Amino acid sequence: MATNIYKASCVCRNMVFVFKTSVLPGKWSVRVCNCSFCSTRTGHVHCADPSGNVYFEFLDRRKVCLYRHGTNTADFLVCIGCGAYLGAVSFINKSWMAVLNMQHLVEAIQLPEPYLVAWKGEGVRERILRRSKTWTPVRDWSNYAEFSTETVYY
């Protein structure tokens, strides 16, 4: 099956992701979340493909903030320059995995109707197991430690 490439960017173009998947957009499982982070933000529609991969690029790492909340098991990528949220990453079983915010796709794509998910009550063990099966593998996250912005917990 052919691999399709989709690019997303924050408003100021400081953060970019390149998502590779063989799943066509009409078949994506897209969702919105009601966690304490997502419910306070506008414009988030999450998607992931465990058979695909994603690569992140950052023009200025000093303008990337890693937010952590709830179970402290994922870092939410937020641009300090424009406030956009591009997705979240988590280190699971010696690999980086991500869920992506498709609201920032560069190309206008008709997405399926998102469904609401509520993770309240899900234990940490269950959450990590679910992410390991459903999130997208991250290519080359080796520069993760280079973020100069402190992780913020709330």
Side-chain angles (χ1 to χ4, degrees):
M1 192 172 252
T3 299
N4 303 297
I5 299 172
Y6 303 92
K7 188 174 181 179
S9 171
C10 67
V11 176
C12 68
R13 295 186 175 88
N14 184 56
M15 301 189 319
V16 170
F17 72 70
V18 178
F19 176 47
K20 294 183 178 182
T21 178
S22 60
V23 181
L24 295 174
K27 299 290 185 185
W28 289 353
S29 177
V30 294
R31 56 201 178 274
V32 293
C33 174
N34 69 352
C35 74
S36 62
F37 177 83
C38 293
S39 63
T40 61
R41 307 188 72 78
T42 57
H44 71 282
V45 176
H46 299 115
C47 181
D49 176 8
S51 298
N53 66 67
V54 65
Y55 177 77
F56 290 92
E57 297 172 354
F58 308 98
L59 292 179
D60 185 349
R61 290 180 188 278
R62 295 170 298 175
K63 292 182 181 177
V64 176
C65 188
L66 305 178
Y67 283 104
R68 210 174 248 204
H69 72 103
T71 59
N72 296 320
T73 56
D75 292 319
F76 292 72
L77 304 167
V78 178
C79 180
I80 294 170
C82 65
Y85 152 63
L86 226 56
V89 294
S90 185
F91 191 68
I92 302 169
N93 298 330
K94 301 180 184 177
S95 298
W96 286 100
M97 305 294 283
V99 65
L100 308 170
N101 183 357
M102 304 318 260
Q103 289 293 98
H104 295 286
L105 287 171
V106 172
E107 185 180 333
I109 294 174
Q110 182 66 40
L111 296 174
E113 188 66 31
Y115 61 93
L116 176 67
V117 292
W119 305 122
K120 191 173 184 171
E122 182 181 51
V124 172
R125 178 182 233 146
E126 293 85 7
R127 183 162 299 191
I128 299 297
L129 181 60
R130 173 182 49 79
R131 289 177 181 165
S132 71
K133 293 177 181 177
T134 62
W135 280 24
T136 302
V138 178
R139 287 187 11 242
D140 192 22
W141 190 255
S142 58
N143 294 325
Y144 179 72
E146 290 183 21
F147 287 107
S148 60
T149 308
E150 229 177 275
T151 300
V152 177
Y153 297 91
Y154 71 96

